[in-house]
Amino acid sequence: GDYETKKRLRATHEGQQRAAGTLSAHRQLYERPFPLYKQPVEVGCFSLDSRRVFCNDPRQLRYYVQPAQSPGFDLRDGYTSRFVKRDDSVKEKLDHVLRWILANRDKIQTRVQTSSSSALGVDFVTWRGHLTKVLTTPYETHEGWMLAASRFRGSIYISEVETEAARVNRETRSERQEEMMYWGYKFEQYLCADDVDGTPDPGGVVNTNEAFCTVVQTRLADHTLLFSGEVDCRVKDPDAPPAPGCYVELKTSAEICTPKQRSNFHRYKLLKWWAQSFLPGVPQIVAGFRDHDGIVVGVETIPTSKISHLIKNEYNCWKPTVCMNFCNDFLSFVKSVVTEDNPRVVYLFTWDPHRDVSFTVHRDSQYTFLPEWYIRDTSS
Ligand code: 0WD
Ligand code: CA
């Protein structure tokens, strides 16, 4: 029947891609039924303190305090007098996730039936943010990416490598851009309390070294995933669903004044917001809309599950199924390429807009990212 035909065509298509050693990112190729994506389960969490030190506990978890609908928050306040900025030239790679794994190996859930071929019992280990980039690839027209992958004891670890273009961007940001990066963190400070019975302290210091990260496990079709993502806060209600169901993602965006601005918001911003929160199962996004001077003129709660309905009136808009099918095929492609089980071998996957995903192989190079302390400890 139809299903069999489609399956054969797809197999042929993937066969050609494998033969060529590349993967197409054309969105039309990924318009298929939504693949299985299991509800993500939180298996742990960790914090990064004010000096960016890993802590195996939720000490940086904050609590959401609902603001007025038009709160008038001044996002410029405290820039730069009460701002400690993380040094973003330091490349942390997967280190924090690996530290979590070493300290919590017993908490990773391995399927009972399948005699797993990997020591950890998961196919992929990465950051959520890396998967967000993969999901949005079929719709991205400006920024490419490089993802390094190594197979070690059966699991594939994926860690981003900064592109040349991204490095130039980071090193040549204007003063206005630098300040606007602060606005997102300042918005968090207006809405988050440190304790369940506390209130936000807008007079405090914004320190972007601090982070609370969830670690979730899930499965996309044939791929089991373990990844970590930074979480802004949780709701205070102790009877709220367990994590990640109680988490809230905070965002800021320019206020929407024209139909064109609304359309752009739906087409570009909501794609990124949806991908980022859908992956770890964060159900709510609280958006602060700010004017040109950094004053928050509106706040709206957007349920992650409603985003795909919100965008349906846009002509030729993005589709969640395309994102998920592309990610599924990308992970299959990675599995077929990353065959040598050796932490000193890096397969570097590169994608640029309007191009296919391609890869190169590097032995004992600058790209090796699994640290000695992880390899040593896991081997024993
Ligand atoms: O070394 C690297 N190449 C990266 C490290 C790239 C991306 C992230 N990280 C690490 C950092 O340790 C960070 O704490 O990942 C953590 C966050 O991981 P994620 O959740 O997978 O990243 P993402 O979903 O891209 O960003 C989540 C939040 C951002 O919030 P908004 O609302 O702006 O999306 O994490 C922050 C930011 O607040 N963030 C970062 N923090 C530190 N380093 C980074 C970064 N490179 N990128 C975003
Ligand atoms: Ca955020």
Side-chain angles (χ1 to χ4, degrees):
D2 269 3
Y3 174 70
E4 281 303 312
T5 313
K6 275 198 201 125
K7 210 169 137 188
R8 252 196 321 276
L9 285 174
R10 189 148 76 235
T12 308
H13 174 70
E14 282 168 6
Q16 284 166 349
Q17 288 177 333
R18 242 200 307 286
T22 62
L23 178 73
S24 170
H26 278 126
R27 53 190 84 154
Q28 301 88 337
L29 294 174
Y30 301 97
E31 305 230 5
R32 309 193 300 252
F34 203 84
L36 171 81
Y37 189 66
K38 278 187 67 180
Q39 179 132 332
V41 173
E42 178 174 85
V43 290
C45 63
F46 60 87
S47 298
L48 304 173
D49 74 6
S50 60
R51 291 165 43 220
R52 203 70 181 170
V53 174
F54 173 92
C55 309
N56 190 28
D57 57 55
R59 72 181 67 179
Q60 297 292 351
L61 174 59
R62 294 178 295 176
Y63 296 84
Y64 177 65
V65 178
Q66 193 176 332
Q69 225 170 59
S70 186
F73 296 142
D74 178 5
L75 302 179
R76 307 181 77 160
D77 179 54
Y79 187 81
T80 55
S81 59
R82 300 192 318 282
F83 181 32
V84 177
K85 186 176 172 287
R86 185 184 68 92
D87 179 355
D88 56 13
S89 67
V90 176
K91 297 301 167 211
E92 302 174 319
K93 298 172 275 194
L94 291 187
D95 289 7
H96 300 309
V97 184
L98 303 180
R99 280 191 201 290
W100 182 88
I101 290 174
L102 283 192
N104 301 277
R105 238 181 303 174
D106 53 315
K107 297 190 181 66
I108 300 173
Q109 296 163 12
T110 313
R111 283 157 297 149
V112 193
Q113 325 92 303
T114 30
S115 58
S116 185
S117 52
S118 67
L120 276 183
V122 296
D123 297 333
F124 292 97
V125 174
T126 191
W127 281 106
R128 176 268 310 272
H130 302 356
L131 293 174
T132 306
K133 287 193 178 176
V134 175
L135 257 68
T136 58
T137 298
Y139 299 105
E140 179 62 51
T141 54
H142 293 291
E143 285 168 31
W145 47 250
M146 289 199 287
L147 293 170
S150 288
R151 188 184 286 264
F152 175 54
R153 298 202 145 207
S155 297
I156 297 173
Y157 296 77
I158 299 179
S159 178
E160 184 177 34
V161 174
E162 189 176 53
T163 63
E164 201 62 15
R167 184 185 59 79
V168 170
N169 259 333
R170 177 171 55 77
E171 287 174 351
T172 60
R173 286 196 288 250
S174 66
E175 185 43 51
R176 169 88 180 165
Q177 282 172 311
E178 287 283 348
E179 178 176 341
M180 286 176 70
M181 287 179 62
Y182 167 82
W183 293 1
Y185 296 101
K186 185 66 190 175
F187 182 62
E188 294 174 11
Q189 191 191 51
Y190 278 113
L191 270 59
C192 294
D194 287 343
D195 304 289
V196 68
D197 48 4
T199 51
D201 173 21
V205 170
V206 170
N207 184 330
T208 59
N209 286 306
E210 299 173 355
F212 168 80
C213 295
T214 181
V215 182
V216 303
Q217 268 187 269
T218 185
R219 167 206 283 272
L220 171 59
D222 293 335
H223 312 298
T224 57
L225 316 174
L226 181 143
F227 59 84
S228 177
E230 192 173 324
V231 169
D232 294 326
C233 56
R234 61 157 292 158
V235 297
K236 284 185 167 188
D237 182 359
D239 297 324
C246 59
Y247 290 149
V248 183
E249 171 64 35
L250 306 179
K251 292 287 182 198
T252 58
S253 195
E255 67 176 318
I256 296 166
C257 304
T258 68
K260 179 77 185 162
Q261 287 170 341
R262 172 163 307 271
S263 174
N264 282 338
F265 175 74
H266 285 163
R267 282 172 178 281
Y268 306 109
K269 216 134 235 185
L270 281 186
L271 164 60
K272 301 214 163 144
W273 292 8
W274 171 81
Q276 185 189 41
S277 287
F278 178 77
L279 278 165
V282 172
Q284 303 194 65
I285 301 169
V286 172
F289 294 95
R290 48 95 192 147
D291 67 15
H292 191 76
D293 301 318
I295 304 296
V296 178
V297 294
V299 176
E300 268 179 67
T301 300
I302 307 173
T304 309
S305 61
K306 296 233 172 100
I307 291 180
S308 58
H309 311 299
L310 274 177
I311 59 160
K312 280 199 174 121
N313 286 329
E314 293 297 334
Y315 175 73
N316 211 352
C317 202
W318 59 275
K319 295 188 179 89
T321 196
V322 168
C323 301
M324 297 306 285
N325 283 315
F326 175 75
C327 187
N328 183 19
D329 286 10
F330 173 70
L331 295 177
S332 298
F333 179 59
V334 171
K335 268 186 187 167
S336 74
V337 167
V338 181
T339 50
E340 184 174 336
D341 200 298
N342 182 347
R344 288 155 54 180
V345 175
V346 167
Y347 298 79
L348 187 61
F349 292 84
T350 304
W351 177 76
D352 284 305
H354 315 298
R355 301 247 181 268
D356 292 349
V357 179
S358 62
F359 71 92
T360 50
V361 190
H362 307 262
R363 210 168 282 268
D364 290 316
S365 72
Q366 55 174 321
Y367 297 117
T368 294
F369 63 89
L370 288 171
E372 190 57 43
W373 52 258
Y374 184 73
I375 294 162
R376 216 183 312 116
D377 192 290
T378 321
S379 308
S380 59

